[in-house]
Amino acid sequence: MGVTDVFYYTLHIRELKSIIQWKTWHNPVHERDPKTETVSLRICFDFLDKTSRSFSAVIQELHPELLVPVALFYLILRGLDTIEDDMTIPLEKKEPLLKEFYKITEKEGWSFSGNGPDERDRELLVQFHYVTEEYRKIKPVYREIINDVAEQMGNGMAEYCRRSAEGRSGVESVKDYDMYCYYVAGLVGNGLTRLFVESGLANPALKERKQLQTSMGLFLQKTNIIRDVKEDWDDKRRFWPREIWSKYVDDFGDLFKPEKKEAALNCTSEMVLNSLNHADECLFYLAGLREQSAFNFAAVPQGMAIATLALVFRNPQIYKKNIKITKGEACQIMLDSTQNLQKVCEVFRKFVRQIHRKNTPKDPNFLKISVACGKVEQFIESIFPSQDPEALQRAAETGMPVAKKEDPRVVREREEAKWDAIYMLIAVMGTITVITIIMLGVAWMMGARWDVAFNELRKGGVNRPGRDSARTIVEKYDRGEL
């Protein structure tokens, strides 16, 4: 932790508290045991850590029945994505690779070294034989699900790569945008749901709710596409649909110009609106997960997504750099999202209200965003009513207004949070004081002349002395000990 971080968390005690709580008090539902694994499987988990630390953490806490299948599922799709993203691979080589990748997973000893030297996850494909070795060991029913998703995703990616190579923009309409997000993320939601249901960790009814499965993936993907707009533009890629951005600027690059700031913010609003329309379906989906580790696995990314959506909404910084929620906010979201559906709903309510507060009548999407925020709150209210039904009945009988009774648990948590913040501030200030005393003590032992400093301060000599003044001070206090 650098000096900047120390200063930041001194001013944001609650975030520091969240980090400490997550690091010290979080107990995984299930823990992976590397000692029972083969060498090749441990290598697979090493690649999981390297390719995505955030997903790796939640995957490694999954139920043992799905731990390895989901880890390999992620690595296979990451390998597919690494081929699709690499602009150094010619289309005639890339297209058949993408379309046939689902068959490659069954081939013993297969690896690929054709990625460019700067491709971030190149090494995963170079050593992909470790993935295929472990993949052939999992249950056939899980392999069938993963192969089906990989086949559909590979075909979708190949189609968009061909469009791009032929000079056609891959994402023209909102329909194109939804289809692209479906291929790269919605299919993942479908595959994971089938794995959850097959293993008995989710309600079988979820398997029939394709729209809910798809929304889980689209909500994450669309939020990431909004957040990464500057990074993608620097890489000469564009995923925002022309149907949306062309309402605000003539050329996509105009969004990054300072003089187009207001138009860019309005464009961001419509992109956020498009993503926000999936939020209530994500909560509906989470209600169908029976097992805690599966719930945590699905809920944590959704909590991060709604927080990121609130961060990017009408935020001009997304056109200047890639922005992310702070580590303290992320830890608090993980703490809340690994408890139960009601806590996750509270996370969604909190950030939806942030979006609503940032919404402005100047925005052409003002009313639609207000409705979308209200839709999420209405869904949450329908499953976790904030009013006591008995109080409502009494109010109807007496004609008196309902006095909203605050949840005692919320009051208690707020009081505890206040005192935790006070104690944390005392601890931080105490630490700074101790460090200061130690530094002064070391300086004194090394021969620092505090009497000189105090005398000069009394005389008002707080400015840096010139060369002649410094020599005068040295001659005045030098007693010739050295």
Side-chain angles (χ1 to χ4, degrees), residues 239-467:
F239 296 107
W240 289 24
R242 182 186 294 273
E243 185 180 334
I244 289 179
W245 63 258
S246 62
K247 298 176 186 177
Y248 305 96
V249 290
D250 295 326
D251 183 80
F252 188 72
D254 292 343
L255 293 172
F256 302 89
K257 296 177 179 178
E259 61 270 24
K260 298 288 185 178
K261 179 181 174 181
E262 194 60 33
L265 291 179
N266 292 338
C267 184
T268 307
S269 295
E270 187 164 350
M271 290 295 294
V272 168
L273 172 64
N274 182 278
S275 180
L276 192 59
N277 286 328
H278 299 287
D280 60 323
E281 292 185 335
C282 292
L283 293 174
F284 197 170
Y285 178 94
L286 292 174
L289 296 177
R290 294 172 171 172
E291 201 269 337
Q292 187 65 46
S293 69
F295 178 84
N296 295 351
F297 173 81
V300 169
Q302 301 299 327
M304 299 291 187
I306 190 66
T308 301
L309 213 56
L311 176 67
V312 300
F313 181 65
R314 296 198 63 81
N315 188 340
Q317 291 301 310
I318 67 168
Y319 296 105
K320 300 175 183 177
K321 60 182 180 180
N322 187 280
I323 60 175
K324 294 183 179 181
I325 58 176
T326 66
K327 188 175 181 180
E329 288 175 323
C331 286
Q332 186 59 53
I333 291 167
M334 289 190 289
L335 283 166
D336 292 335
S337 300
T338 51
Q339 295 187 45
N340 52 54
L341 181 61
Q342 186 168 5
K343 292 295 288 184
V344 175
C345 285
E346 288 174 10
V347 171
F348 268 69
R349 180 186 279 125
K350 170 186 173 182
F351 290 108
V352 161
R353 287 179 177 177
Q354 284 188 17
I355 292 172
H356 187 68
R357 283 195 297 271
K358 290 165 70 176
N359 199 14
T360 171
K362 296 187 296 182
D363 191 326
N365 302 290
F366 173 74
L367 287 177
K368 290 181 180 179
I369 289 169
S370 297
V371 170
C373 290
K375 184 182 173 186
V376 177
E377 292 228 35
Q378 186 178 28
F379 177 80
I380 294 171
E381 187 69 20
S382 70
I383 53 177
F384 298 111
S386 58
Q387 295 285 7
D388 181 2
E390 293 182 3
L392 288 173
Q393 186 176 354
R394 285 195 302 270
E397 293 171 351
T398 61
M400 298 292 290
V402 180
K404 187 174 179 180
K405 185 179 178 181
E406 196 165 11
D407 187 345
R409 179 178 54 83
V410 174
V411 175
R412 186 173 63 253
E413 287 179 356
R414 188 166 60 238
E415 188 67 18
E416 288 175 357
K418 182 185 75 173
W419 283 105
D420 283 345
I422 292 171
Y423 294 145
M424 195 71 71
L425 180 60
I426 292 171
V428 169
M429 297 308 297
T431 302
I432 293 173
T433 302
V434 170
I435 292 172
T436 303
I437 291 171
I438 292 172
M439 292 175 66
L440 292 173
V442 171
W444 177 75
M445 292 174 66
M446 297 295 291
R449 295 293 302 275
W450 304 118
D451 55 330
V452 176
F454 291 142
N455 284 332
E456 291 303 310
L457 284 172
R458 278 199 296 268
K459 295 176 182 178
V462 293
N463 297 321
R464 181 179 176 182
R467 185 183 298 273

Side-chain angles (χ1 to χ4, degrees), residues 52-98:
S52 175
R53 285 200 170 275
S54 55
F55 273 109
S56 177
V58 289
I59 288 173
Q60 293 187 55
E61 293 183 8
L62 272 172
H63 190 283
E65 175 66 20
L66 280 187
L67 171 63
V68 175
V70 172
L72 297 176
F73 186 27
Y74 180 87
L75 291 175
I76 287 168
L77 298 188
R78 173 63 76 169
L80 194 60
D81 190 56
T82 302
I83 292 172
E84 191 250 352
D85 278 348
D86 194 342
M87 305 307 289
T88 66
I89 303 175
L91 181 65
E92 57 271 17
K93 186 176 182 180
K94 180 185 288 189
E95 191 172 20
L97 264 175
L98 292 172

Side-chain angles (χ1 to χ4, degrees), residues 15-288:
E15 290 191 28
L16 180 60
K17 172 195 165 191
S18 298
I19 294 172
I20 294 171
Q21 284 181 324
W22 177 257
K23 296 288 186 183
T24 57
W25 296 343
H26 173 65
N27 293 316
V29 182
H30 306 285
E31 290 191 71
R32 170 185 160 236
D33 185 5
K35 289 181 287 189
T36 63
E37 299 169 352
T38 62
V39 173
S40 57
L41 185 55
R42 287 201 294 271
I43 291 173
C44 288
F45 278 109
D46 286 341
F47 276 117
L48 191 64
D49 284 332
K50 291 174 184 175
T51 53
S52 175
R53 285 200 170 275
S54 55
F55 273 109
S56 177
V58 289
I59 288 173
Q60 293 187 55
E61 293 183 8
L62 272 172
H63 190 283
E65 175 66 20
L66 280 187
L67 171 63
V68 175
V70 172
L72 297 176
F73 186 27
Y74 180 87
L75 291 175
I76 287 168
L77 298 188
R78 173 63 76 169
L80 194 60
D81 190 56
T82 302
I83 292 172
E84 191 250 352
D85 278 348
D86 194 342
M87 305 307 289
T88 66
I89 303 175
L91 181 65
E92 57 271 17
K93 186 176 182 180
K94 180 185 288 189
E95 191 172 20
L97 264 175
L98 292 172
K99 289 183 175 181
E100 301 294 316
F101 198 81
Y102 74 101
K103 297 178 181 177
I104 287 167
T105 57
E106 303 279 0
K107 289 185 179 179
E108 185 176 356
W110 185 88
S111 62
F112 180 70
S113 56
N115 284 106
D118 297 327
E119 190 62 34
R120 188 167 66 93
D121 296 322
R122 181 182 190 277
E123 194 59 27
L124 169 63
L125 288 171
V126 171
Q127 300 189 52
F128 204 74
H129 55 279
Y130 291 117
V131 178
T132 60
E133 180 181 339
E134 290 300 323
Y135 183 66
R136 292 193 303 276
K137 297 177 185 177
I138 66 175
K139 292 179 180 180
V141 66
Y142 295 154
R143 291 206 305 272
E144 182 183 343
I145 293 169
I146 295 170
N147 280 350
D148 182 40
V149 172
E151 181 181 8
Q152 292 183 66
M153 186 177 288
N155 286 330
M157 287 178 169
E159 170 64 22
Y160 278 91
C161 286
R162 174 159 290 282
R163 284 192 190 187
S164 180
E166 292 174 353
R168 293 181 292 155
S169 173
V171 188
E172 288 290 315
S173 65
V174 171
K175 185 177 178 181
D176 290 336
Y177 180 52
D178 285 341
M179 187 57 67
Y180 173 78
C181 292
Y182 172 75
Y183 278 128
V184 299
L187 281 169
V188 180
N190 298 157
L192 286 170
T193 302
R194 291 163 65 187
L195 289 172
F196 289 149
V197 172
E198 193 64 44
S199 61
L201 303 184
N203 188 326
L206 276 183
K207 196 174 179 180
E208 308 306 318
R209 303 296 295 267
K210 292 282 180 69
Q211 181 60 35
L212 299 185
Q213 303 168 23
T214 302
S215 283
M216 288 288 284
L218 264 60
F219 186 59
L220 297 181
Q221 184 66 21
K222 289 181 175 183
T223 300
N224 288 341
I225 284 174
I226 299 169
R227 183 198 63 196
D228 297 339
V229 62
K230 180 65 168 65
E231 186 179 309
D232 288 333
W233 183 244
D234 289 342
D235 291 338
K236 297 179 173 55
R237 298 186 298 179
R238 172 182 64 77
F239 296 107
W240 289 24
R242 182 186 294 273
E243 185 180 334
I244 289 179
W245 63 258
S246 62
K247 298 176 186 177
Y248 305 96
V249 290
D250 295 326
D251 183 80
F252 188 72
D254 292 343
L255 293 172
F256 302 89
K257 296 177 179 178
E259 61 270 24
K260 298 288 185 178
K261 179 181 174 181
E262 194 60 33
L265 291 179
N266 292 338
C267 184
T268 307
S269 295
E270 187 164 350
M271 290 295 294
V272 168
L273 172 64
N274 182 278
S275 180
L276 192 59
N277 286 328
H278 299 287
D280 60 323
E281 292 185 335
C282 292
L283 293 174
F284 197 170
Y285 178 94
L286 292 174

